[in-house]
Amino acid sequence: MLAVGAFEFGNVAATVLILRATELLDSDRSHDSAVQLALVLYTADNLAATLASIPAGRTADRFGNTRVLAAGAALFALAYVGLALTGLTATRSH
């Protein structure tokens, strides 16, 4: 159950990603346009993950699953921290 819980926690992050992207994009365009662009970016993210899966699997075979998983989790966390901090001063001024 711990593994399932961790997976679902990561899944919620995708929803937060779409909401944050919409919030950041909303200042420059209409809300509908911001939502559409956020969903396009999310789709592009999924496409990039799909395209990276085979090379990542080969890398895991070469260097070990734990190392590759840890590196991926670290990059994932770094990306979310960056997204959280992007536009922070602009968000506070509204």
Side-chain angles (χ1 to χ4, degrees), residues 7 10-11 13-15 17-18 38-54 76 80:
F7 176 78
N11 245 359
T15 303
L17 177 69
I18 294 169
L39 290 174
V40 166
L41 291 171
Y42 178 67
T43 301
D45 176 66
N46 281 327
L47 178 62
T50 300
L51 294 174
S53 64
I54 301 262
F76 188 73
Y80 274 87

Side-chain angles (χ1 to χ4, degrees), residues 8-31:
E8 289 305 322
F9 181 73
N11 245 359
V12 168
T15 303
V16 173
L17 177 69
I18 294 169
L19 291 173
R20 179 68 175 142
T22 302
E23 181 182 69
L24 291 172
L25 294 167
D26 225 1
S27 63
D28 295 339
R29 48 189 54 81
S30 72
H31 181 72

Side-chain angles (χ1 to χ4, degrees), residues 53-91:
S53 64
I54 301 262
R58 289 183 179 149
T59 303
D61 289 342
R62 184 170 181 197
F63 296 105
N65 294 338
T66 304
R67 283 183 178 176
V68 173
L69 182 61
L75 290 172
F76 188 73
L78 184 65
Y80 274 87
V81 167
L83 185 64
L85 297 177
T86 300
L88 195 59
T89 55
T91 303

